[in-house]
PDB file of all heavy atoms in Angstrom:
ATOM      1  N   GLN H 147       0.811  -1.217   0.000  1.00 77.00           N
ATOM      2  CA  GLN H 147       0.000   0.000   0.000  1.00 77.00           C
ATOM      3  C   GLN H 147       0.843   1.265   0.000  1.00 77.00           C
ATOM      4  O   GLN H 147       0.396   2.314  -0.447  1.00 77.00           O
ATOM      5  CB  GLN H 147      -0.952  -0.002   1.204  1.00 77.00           C
ATOM      6  CG  GLN H 147      -2.103  -0.997   1.057  1.00 77.00           C
ATOM      7  CD  GLN H 147      -3.056  -0.954   2.234  1.00 77.00           C
ATOM      8  OE1 GLN H 147      -2.631  -0.779   3.383  1.00 77.00           O
ATOM      9  NE2 GLN H 147      -4.348  -1.117   1.967  1.00 77.00           N
ATOM     10  N   ASP H 148       2.080   1.158   0.520  1.00 78.00           N
ATOM     11  CA  ASP H 148       2.953   2.333   0.523  1.00 78.00           C
ATOM     12  C   ASP H 148       3.766   2.456  -0.767  1.00 78.00           C
ATOM     13  O   ASP H 148       4.622   3.334  -0.902  1.00 78.00           O
ATOM     14  CB  ASP H 148       3.892   2.309   1.734  1.00 78.00           C
ATOM     15  CG  ASP H 148       4.826   1.099   1.726  1.00 78.00           C
ATOM     16  OD1 ASP H 148       4.805   0.331   0.734  1.00 78.00           O
ATOM     17  OD2 ASP H 148       5.561   0.916   2.712  1.00 78.00           O
ATOM     18  N   GLY H 149       3.509   1.551  -1.711  1.00 79.00           N
ATOM     19  CA  GLY H 149       4.179   1.619  -3.007  1.00 79.00           C
ATOM     20  C   GLY H 149       5.477   0.849  -3.106  1.00 79.00           C
ATOM     21  O   GLY H 149       6.091   0.781  -4.175  1.00 79.00           O
ATOM     22  N   SER H 150       5.925   0.236  -2.023  1.00 83.00           N
ATOM     23  CA  SER H 150       7.182  -0.516  -2.043  1.00 83.00           C
ATOM     24  C   SER H 150       6.943  -1.960  -2.475  1.00 83.00           C
ATOM     25  O   SER H 150       5.831  -2.482  -2.365  1.00 83.00           O
ATOM     26  CB  SER H 150       7.828  -0.503  -0.648  1.00 83.00           C
ATOM     27  OG  SER H 150       6.977  -1.127   0.305  1.00 83.00           O
ATOM     28  N   GLN H 151       7.992  -2.593  -3.009  1.00 85.00           N
ATOM     29  CA  GLN H 151       7.913  -3.979  -3.448  1.00 85.00           C
ATOM     30  C   GLN H 151       8.302  -4.918  -2.300  1.00 85.00           C
ATOM     31  O   GLN H 151       9.278  -4.659  -1.591  1.00 85.00           O
ATOM     32  CB  GLN H 151       8.853  -4.215  -4.636  1.00 85.00           C
ATOM     33  CG  GLN H 151       8.511  -3.392  -5.856  1.00 85.00           C
ATOM     34  CD  GLN H 151       9.457  -3.703  -6.993  1.00 85.00           C
ATOM     35  OE1 GLN H 151       9.147  -4.489  -7.884  1.00 85.00           O
ATOM     36  NE2 GLN H 151      10.621  -3.083  -6.965  1.00 85.00           N
ATOM     37  N   LYS H 152       7.528  -5.988  -2.139  1.00 88.00           N
ATOM     38  CA  LYS H 152       7.791  -6.925  -1.051  1.00 88.00           C
ATOM     39  C   LYS H 152       7.559  -8.349  -1.531  1.00 88.00           C
ATOM     40  O   LYS H 152       6.825  -8.594  -2.499  1.00 88.00           O
ATOM     41  CB  LYS H 152       6.902  -6.618   0.157  1.00 88.00           C
ATOM     42  CG  LYS H 152       7.229  -5.280   0.821  1.00 88.00           C
ATOM     43  CD  LYS H 152       6.391  -5.046   2.072  1.00 88.00           C
ATOM     44  CE  LYS H 152       6.776  -3.716   2.731  1.00 88.00           C
ATOM     45  NZ  LYS H 152       5.941  -3.439   3.919  1.00 88.00           N
ATOM     46  N   LEU H 153       8.205  -9.299  -0.819  1.00 89.00           N
ATOM     47  CA  LEU H 153       8.079 -10.716  -1.157  1.00 89.00           C
ATOM     48  C   LEU H 153       7.175 -11.467  -0.190  1.00 89.00           C
ATOM     49  O   LEU H 153       6.910 -12.655  -0.385  1.00 89.00           O
ATOM     50  CB  LEU H 153       9.463 -11.390  -1.163  1.00 89.00           C
ATOM     51  CG  LEU H 153      10.479 -10.846  -2.161  1.00 89.00           C
ATOM     52  CD1 LEU H 153      11.795 -11.594  -2.028  1.00 89.00           C
ATOM     53  CD2 LEU H 153       9.942 -10.942  -3.584  1.00 89.00           C
ATOM     54  N   GLY H 154       6.719 -10.779   0.864  1.00 88.00           N
ATOM     55  CA  GLY H 154       5.828 -11.430   1.821  1.00 88.00           C
ATOM     56  C   GLY H 154       6.502 -12.510   2.628  1.00 88.00           C
ATOM     57  O   GLY H 154       5.939 -13.588   2.849  1.00 88.00           O
ATOM     58  N   VAL H 155       7.725 -12.242   3.092  1.00 90.00           N
ATOM     59  CA  VAL H 155       8.461 -13.224   3.881  1.00 90.00           C
ATOM     60  C   VAL H 155       9.101 -12.545   5.081  1.00 90.00           C
ATOM     61  O   VAL H 155       9.653 -11.443   4.974  1.00 90.00           O
ATOM     62  CB  VAL H 155       9.515 -13.950   3.004  1.00 90.00           C
ATOM     63  CG1 VAL H 155      10.488 -12.955   2.387  1.00 90.00           C
ATOM     64  CG2 VAL H 155      10.275 -14.992   3.806  1.00 90.00           C
ATOM     65  N   TRP H 156       8.971 -13.183   6.238  1.00 90.00           N
ATOM     66  CA  TRP H 156       9.618 -12.691   7.455  1.00 90.00           C
ATOM     67  C   TRP H 156      10.968 -13.384   7.586  1.00 90.00           C
ATOM     68  O   TRP H 156      11.068 -14.611   7.452  1.00 90.00           O
ATOM     69  CB  TRP H 156       8.774 -13.006   8.689  1.00 90.00           C
ATOM     70  CG  TRP H 156       7.437 -12.331   8.685  1.00 90.00           C
ATOM     71  CD1 TRP H 156       6.239 -12.853   8.302  1.00 90.00           C
ATOM     72  CD2 TRP H 156       7.170 -10.981   9.096  1.00 90.00           C
ATOM     73  NE1 TRP H 156       5.241 -11.929   8.432  1.00 90.00           N
ATOM     74  CE2 TRP H 156       5.770 -10.769   8.921  1.00 90.00           C
ATOM     75  CE3 TRP H 156       7.952  -9.941   9.567  1.00 90.00           C
ATOM     76  CZ2 TRP H 156       5.148  -9.564   9.212  1.00 90.00           C
ATOM     77  CZ3 TRP H 156       7.348  -8.731   9.869  1.00 90.00           C
ATOM     78  CH2 TRP H 156       5.969  -8.551   9.689  1.00 90.00           C
ATOM     79  N   VAL H 157      12.023 -12.595   7.846  1.00 90.00           N
ATOM     80  CA  VAL H 157      13.374 -13.157   7.882  1.00 90.00           C
ATOM     81  C   VAL H 157      14.149 -12.635   9.090  1.00 90.00           C
ATOM     82  O   VAL H 157      13.782 -11.647   9.718  1.00 90.00           O
ATOM     83  CB  VAL H 157      14.160 -12.813   6.593  1.00 90.00           C
ATOM     84  CG1 VAL H 157      13.505 -13.442   5.380  1.00 90.00           C
ATOM     85  CG2 VAL H 157      14.285 -11.300   6.414  1.00 90.00           C
ATOM     86  N   ARG H 158      15.245 -13.345   9.382  1.00 90.00           N
ATOM     87  CA  ARG H 158      16.153 -12.937  10.455  1.00 90.00           C
ATOM     88  C   ARG H 158      17.564 -13.343  10.048  1.00 90.00           C
ATOM     89  O   ARG H 158      17.764 -14.435   9.506  1.00 90.00           O
ATOM     90  CB  ARG H 158      15.767 -13.595  11.784  1.00 90.00           C
ATOM     91  CG  ARG H 158      16.624 -13.170  12.956  1.00 90.00           C
ATOM     92  CD  ARG H 158      16.153 -13.814  14.263  1.00 90.00           C
ATOM     93  NE  ARG H 158      14.892 -13.250  14.712  1.00 90.00           N
ATOM     94  CZ  ARG H 158      13.798 -13.963  14.965  1.00 90.00           C
ATOM     95  NH1 ARG H 158      13.814 -15.272  14.803  1.00 90.00           N
ATOM     96  NH2 ARG H 158      12.701 -13.387  15.382  1.00 90.00           N
ATOM     97  N   SER H 159      18.541 -12.476  10.299  1.00 88.00           N
ATOM     98  CA  SER H 159      19.922 -12.798   9.904  1.00 88.00           C
ATOM     99  C   SER H 159      20.883 -12.845  11.088  1.00 88.00           C
ATOM    100  O   SER H 159      22.065 -13.148  10.904  1.00 88.00           O
ATOM    101  CB  SER H 159      20.437 -11.792   8.874  1.00 88.00           C
ATOM    102  OG  SER H 159      20.364 -10.466   9.372  1.00 88.00           O
ATOM    103  N   ASP H 160      20.406 -12.545  12.290  1.00 89.00           N
ATOM    104  CA  ASP H 160      21.273 -12.655  13.471  1.00 89.00           C
ATOM    105  C   ASP H 160      20.421 -12.855  14.719  1.00 89.00           C
ATOM    106  O   ASP H 160      19.191 -12.720  14.682  1.00 89.00           O
ATOM    107  CB  ASP H 160      22.178 -11.419  13.627  1.00 89.00           C
ATOM    108  CG  ASP H 160      21.372 -10.120  13.759  1.00 89.00           C
ATOM    109  OD1 ASP H 160      20.136 -10.177  13.892  1.00 89.00           O
ATOM    110  OD2 ASP H 160      21.981  -9.042  13.731  1.00 89.00           O
ATOM    111  N   THR H 161      21.070 -13.213  15.801  1.00 89.00           N
ATOM    112  CA  THR H 161      20.387 -13.395  17.077  1.00 89.00           C
ATOM    113  C   THR H 161      21.371 -13.141  18.198  1.00 89.00           C
ATOM    114  O   THR H 161      22.593 -13.272  18.015  1.00 89.00           O
ATOM    115  CB  THR H 161      19.782 -14.814  17.182  1.00 89.00           C
ATOM    116  OG1 THR H 161      18.979 -14.913  18.361  1.00 89.00           O
ATOM    117  CG2 THR H 161      20.872 -15.877  17.259  1.00 89.00           C
ATOM    118  N   GLN H 162      20.867 -12.779  19.360  1.00 90.00           N
ATOM    119  CA  GLN H 162      21.731 -12.504  20.508  1.00 90.00           C
ATOM    120  C   GLN H 162      21.018 -12.855  21.810  1.00 90.00           C
ATOM    121  O   GLN H 162      19.800 -12.990  21.850  1.00 90.00           O
ATOM    122  CB  GLN H 162      22.179 -11.031  20.532  1.00 90.00           C
ATOM    123  CG  GLN H 162      21.067 -10.016  20.442  1.00 90.00           C
ATOM    124  CD  GLN H 162      20.695  -9.707  19.023  1.00 90.00           C
ATOM    125  OE1 GLN H 162      21.543  -9.617  18.147  1.00 90.00           O
ATOM    126  NE2 GLN H 162      19.409  -9.554  18.758  1.00 90.00           N
ATOM    127  N   GLY H 163      21.797 -13.023  22.868  1.00 91.00           N
ATOM    128  CA  GLY H 163      21.228 -13.349  24.166  1.00 91.00           C
ATOM    129  C   GLY H 163      22.320 -13.543  25.203  1.00 91.00           C
ATOM    130  O   GLY H 163      23.503 -13.269  24.955  1.00 91.00           O
ATOM    131  N   ILE H 164      21.910 -14.018  26.370  1.00 93.00           N
ATOM    132  CA  ILE H 164      22.835 -14.233  27.492  1.00 93.00           C
ATOM    133  C   ILE H 164      22.794 -15.698  27.900  1.00 93.00           C
ATOM    134  O   ILE H 164      21.718 -16.298  27.981  1.00 93.00           O
ATOM    135  CB  ILE H 164      22.456 -13.335  28.686  1.00 93.00           C
ATOM    136  CG1 ILE H 164      22.646 -11.865  28.317  1.00 93.00           C
ATOM    137  CG2 ILE H 164      23.294 -13.677  29.918  1.00 93.00           C
ATOM    138  CD1 ILE H 164      22.173 -10.904  29.388  1.00 93.00           C
ATOM    139  N   GLY H 165      23.954 -16.279  28.116  1.00 94.00           N
ATOM    140  CA  GLY H 165      24.053 -17.658  28.579  1.00 94.00           C
ATOM    141  C   GLY H 165      25.224 -17.807  29.525  1.00 94.00           C
ATOM    142  O   GLY H 165      25.827 -16.821  29.951  1.00 94.00           O
ATOM    143  N   THR H 166      25.554 -19.041  29.859  1.00 96.00           N
ATOM    144  CA  THR H 166      26.617 -19.315  30.826  1.00 96.00           C
ATOM    145  C   THR H 166      27.710 -20.161  30.191  1.00 96.00           C
ATOM    146  O   THR H 166      27.432 -21.164  29.517  1.00 96.00           O
ATOM    147  CB  THR H 166      26.046 -20.034  32.062  1.00 96.00           C
ATOM    148  OG1 THR H 166      25.080 -19.186  32.691  1.00 96.00           O
ATOM    149  CG2 THR H 166      27.145 -20.356  33.064  1.00 96.00           C
ATOM    150  N   MET H 167      28.953 -19.741  30.417  1.00 97.00           N
ATOM    151  CA  MET H 167      30.112 -20.479  29.926  1.00 97.00           C
ATOM    152  C   MET H 167      30.301 -21.741  30.783  1.00 97.00           C
ATOM    153  O   MET H 167      30.358 -21.658  32.006  1.00 97.00           O
ATOM    154  CB  MET H 167      31.362 -19.616  30.013  1.00 97.00           C
ATOM    155  CG  MET H 167      32.620 -20.277  29.523  1.00 97.00           C
ATOM    156  SD  MET H 167      32.575 -20.604  27.767  1.00 97.00           S
ATOM    157  CE  MET H 167      32.643 -18.929  27.128  1.00 97.00           C
ATOM    158  N   THR H 168      30.407 -22.890  30.128  1.00 98.00           N
ATOM    159  CA  THR H 168      30.548 -24.155  30.851  1.00 98.00           C
ATOM    160  C   THR H 168      31.997 -24.466  31.181  1.00 98.00           C
ATOM    161  O   THR H 168      32.360 -24.677  32.341  1.00 98.00           O
ATOM    162  CB  THR H 168      29.952 -25.321  30.030  1.00 98.00           C
ATOM    163  OG1 THR H 168      28.601 -25.026  29.693  1.00 98.00           O
ATOM    164  CG2 THR H 168      30.001 -26.620  30.832  1.00 98.00           C
ATOM    165  N   TYR H 169      32.848 -24.508  30.154  1.00 97.00           N
ATOM    166  CA  TYR H 169      34.232 -24.906  30.401  1.00 97.00           C
ATOM    167  C   TYR H 169      35.177 -24.176  29.466  1.00 97.00           C
ATOM    168  O   TYR H 169      34.796 -23.693  28.395  1.00 97.00           O
ATOM    169  CB  TYR H 169      34.412 -26.417  30.243  1.00 97.00           C
ATOM    170  CG  TYR H 169      34.283 -26.909  28.821  1.00 97.00           C
ATOM    171  CD1 TYR H 169      35.357 -26.857  27.934  1.00 97.00           C
ATOM    172  CD2 TYR H 169      33.075 -27.412  28.344  1.00 97.00           C
ATOM    173  CE1 TYR H 169      35.244 -27.291  26.624  1.00 97.00           C
ATOM    174  CE2 TYR H 169      32.948 -27.853  27.032  1.00 97.00           C
ATOM    175  CZ  TYR H 169      34.030 -27.787  26.182  1.00 97.00           C
ATOM    176  OH  TYR H 169      33.912 -28.207  24.886  1.00 97.00           O
ATOM    177  N   LEU H 170      36.414 -24.137  29.884  1.00 97.00           N
ATOM    178  CA  LEU H 170      37.523 -23.638  29.075  1.00 97.00           C
ATOM    179  C   LEU H 170      38.614 -24.692  29.161  1.00 97.00           C
ATOM    180  O   LEU H 170      39.087 -25.012  30.260  1.00 97.00           O
ATOM    181  CB  LEU H 170      38.016 -22.298  29.626  1.00 97.00           C
ATOM    182  CG  LEU H 170      39.108 -21.559  28.852  1.00 97.00           C
ATOM    183  CD1 LEU H 170      38.590 -21.130  27.487  1.00 97.00           C
ATOM    184  CD2 LEU H 170      39.584 -20.349  29.640  1.00 97.00           C
ATOM    185  N   ASP H 171      38.983 -25.284  28.017  1.00 95.00           N
ATOM    186  CA  ASP H 171      39.999 -26.336  28.092  1.00 95.00           C
ATOM    187  C   ASP H 171      41.400 -25.734  28.109  1.00 95.00           C
ATOM    188  O   ASP H 171      41.574 -24.509  28.026  1.00 95.00           O
ATOM    189  CB  ASP H 171      39.813 -27.377  26.980  1.00 95.00           C
ATOM    190  CG  ASP H 171      40.192 -26.868  25.588  1.00 95.00           C
ATOM    191  OD1 ASP H 171      40.879 -25.827  25.474  1.00 95.00           O
ATOM    192  OD2 ASP H 171      39.805 -27.525  24.600  1.00 95.00           O
ATOM    193  N   LEU H 172      42.409 -26.579  28.204  1.00 93.00           N
ATOM    194  CA  LEU H 172      43.779 -26.111  28.384  1.00 93.00           C
ATOM    195  C   LEU H 172      44.361 -25.493  27.119  1.00 93.00           C
ATOM    196  O   LEU H 172      45.442 -24.906  27.162  1.00 93.00           O
ATOM    197  CB  LEU H 172      44.661 -27.279  28.858  1.00 93.00           C
ATOM    198  CG  LEU H 172      44.193 -27.984  30.147  1.00 93.00           C
ATOM    199  CD1 LEU H 172      45.225 -29.007  30.594  1.00 93.00           C
ATOM    200  CD2 LEU H 172      43.908 -26.989  31.260  1.00 93.00           C
ATOM    201  N   ASN H 173      43.644 -25.603  25.996  1.00 93.00           N
ATOM    202  CA  ASN H 173      44.084 -24.996  24.748  1.00 93.00           C
ATOM    203  C   ASN H 173      43.334 -23.710  24.423  1.00 93.00           C
ATOM    204  O   ASN H 173      43.507 -23.145  23.342  1.00 93.00           O
ATOM    205  CB  ASN H 173      43.916 -25.992  23.590  1.00 93.00           C
ATOM    206  CG  ASN H 173      44.780 -27.223  23.746  1.00 93.00           C
ATOM    207  OD1 ASN H 173      45.964 -27.124  24.085  1.00 93.00           O
ATOM    208  ND2 ASN H 173      44.208 -28.397  23.525  1.00 93.00           N
ATOM    209  N   GLY H 174      42.474 -23.275  25.348  1.00 94.00           N
ATOM    210  CA  GLY H 174      41.730 -22.046  25.131  1.00 94.00           C
ATOM    211  C   GLY H 174      40.427 -22.225  24.388  1.00 94.00           C
ATOM    212  O   GLY H 174      39.772 -21.235  24.022  1.00 94.00           O
ATOM    213  N   ASN H 175      40.000 -23.469  24.154  1.00 96.00           N
ATOM    214  CA  ASN H 175      38.713 -23.725  23.513  1.00 96.00           C
ATOM    215  C   ASN H 175      37.615 -23.758  24.579  1.00 96.00           C
ATOM    216  O   ASN H 175      37.836 -24.248  25.691  1.00 96.00           O
ATOM    217  CB  ASN H 175      38.742 -25.055  22.765  1.00 96.00           C
ATOM    218  CG  ASN H 175      39.825 -25.100  21.710  1.00 96.00           C
ATOM    219  OD1 ASN H 175      39.924 -24.211  20.877  1.00 96.00           O
ATOM    220  ND2 ASN H 175      40.673 -26.128  21.763  1.00 96.00           N
ATOM    221  N   PHE H 176      36.430 -23.264  24.234  1.00 97.00           N
ATOM    222  CA  PHE H 176      35.354 -23.210  25.218  1.00 97.00           C
ATOM    223  C   PHE H 176      34.115 -23.944  24.727  1.00 97.00           C
ATOM    224  O   PHE H 176      33.923 -24.198  23.539  1.00 97.00           O
ATOM    225  CB  PHE H 176      34.980 -21.757  25.549  1.00 97.00           C
ATOM    226  CG  PHE H 176      34.312 -21.007  24.417  1.00 97.00           C
ATOM    227  CD1 PHE H 176      32.965 -21.204  24.124  1.00 97.00           C
ATOM    228  CD2 PHE H 176      35.031 -20.106  23.655  1.00 97.00           C
ATOM    229  CE1 PHE H 176      32.348 -20.519  23.091  1.00 97.00           C
ATOM    230  CE2 PHE H 176      34.420 -19.415  22.606  1.00 97.00           C
ATOM    231  CZ  PHE H 176      33.075 -19.629  22.324  1.00 97.00           C
ATOM    232  N   GLY H 177      33.267 -24.298  25.685  1.00 97.00           N
ATOM    233  CA  GLY H 177      31.927 -24.819  25.416  1.00 97.00           C
ATOM    234  C   GLY H 177      30.959 -24.128  26.339  1.00 97.00           C
ATOM    235  O   GLY H 177      31.292 -23.828  27.494  1.00 97.00           O
ATOM    236  N   ALA H 178      29.762 -23.837  25.858  1.00 97.00           N
ATOM    237  CA  ALA H 178      28.781 -23.121  26.668  1.00 97.00           C
ATOM    238  C   ALA H 178      27.371 -23.630  26.372  1.00 97.00           C
ATOM    239  O   ALA H 178      27.130 -24.294  25.365  1.00 97.00           O
ATOM    240  CB  ALA H 178      28.868 -21.617  26.394  1.00 97.00           C
ATOM    241  N   LEU H 179      26.459 -23.340  27.276  1.00 95.00           N
ATOM    242  CA  LEU H 179      25.013 -23.576  27.173  1.00 95.00           C
ATOM    243  C   LEU H 179      24.583 -25.025  27.362  1.00 95.00           C
ATOM    244  O   LEU H 179      23.629 -25.297  28.074  1.00 95.00           O
ATOM    245  CB  LEU H 179      24.447 -23.058  25.846  1.00 95.00           C
ATOM    246  CG  LEU H 179      24.593 -21.567  25.561  1.00 95.00           C
ATOM    247  CD1 LEU H 179      23.854 -21.215  24.268  1.00 95.00           C
ATOM    248  CD2 LEU H 179      24.089 -20.722  26.705  1.00 95.00           C
ATOM    249  N   GLY H 180      25.231 -25.975  26.683  1.00 94.00           N
ATOM    250  CA  GLY H 180      24.792 -27.368  26.781  1.00 94.00           C
ATOM    251  C   GLY H 180      23.629 -27.696  25.858  1.00 94.00           C
ATOM    252  O   GLY H 180      23.178 -28.835  25.791  1.00 94.00           O
ATOM    253  N   HIS H 181      23.120 -26.697  25.164  1.00 95.00           N
ATOM    254  CA  HIS H 181      22.101 -26.904  24.134  1.00 95.00           C
ATOM    255  C   HIS H 181      22.323 -25.865  23.048  1.00 95.00           C
ATOM    256  O   HIS H 181      22.990 -24.850  23.263  1.00 95.00           O
ATOM    257  CB  HIS H 181      20.682 -26.792  24.693  1.00 95.00           C
ATOM    258  CG  HIS H 181      20.367 -25.442  25.284  1.00 95.00           C
ATOM    259  ND1 HIS H 181      20.141 -24.314  24.515  1.00 95.00           N
ATOM    260  CD2 HIS H 181      20.243 -25.044  26.570  1.00 95.00           C
ATOM    261  CE1 HIS H 181      19.887 -23.281  25.303  1.00 95.00           C
ATOM    262  NE2 HIS H 181      19.952 -23.694  26.556  1.00 95.00           N
ATOM    263  N   GLY H 182      21.767 -26.105  21.879  1.00 93.00           N
ATOM    264  CA  GLY H 182      21.953 -25.160  20.795  1.00 93.00           C
ATOM    265  C   GLY H 182      21.088 -23.926  20.951  1.00 93.00           C
ATOM    266  O   GLY H 182      20.090 -23.926  21.681  1.00 93.00           O
ATOM    267  N   ILE H 183      21.484 -22.854  20.265  1.00 91.00           N
ATOM    268  CA  ILE H 183      20.651 -21.655  20.207  1.00 91.00           C
ATOM    269  C   ILE H 183      19.692 -21.830  19.040  1.00 91.00           C
ATOM    270  O   ILE H 183      20.097 -21.930  17.882  1.00 91.00           O
ATOM    271  CB  ILE H 183      21.506 -20.387  20.033  1.00 91.00           C
ATOM    272  CG1 ILE H 183      22.377 -20.191  21.276  1.00 91.00           C
ATOM    273  CG2 ILE H 183      20.628 -19.170  19.783  1.00 91.00           C
ATOM    274  CD1 ILE H 183      23.267 -18.977  21.213  1.00 91.00           C
ATOM    275  N   SER H 184      18.410 -21.875  19.361  1.00 87.00           N
ATOM    276  CA  SER H 184      17.379 -22.087  18.354  1.00 87.00           C
ATOM    277  C   SER H 184      16.648 -20.788  18.068  1.00 87.00           C
ATOM    278  O   SER H 184      16.543 -19.911  18.933  1.00 87.00           O
ATOM    279  CB  SER H 184      16.367 -23.149  18.825  1.00 87.00           C
ATOM    280  OG  SER H 184      17.017 -24.376  19.083  1.00 87.00           O
TER     281      SER H 184
END
């Protein structure tokens, strides 16, 4: 209605939040959350 062209799709290209760091190994690699970010 405003004259712009659209495809009628909702999208997202990034996400952010707060979680807890689980471990840091002796080589500086880390693991966190224990589940994926969905």
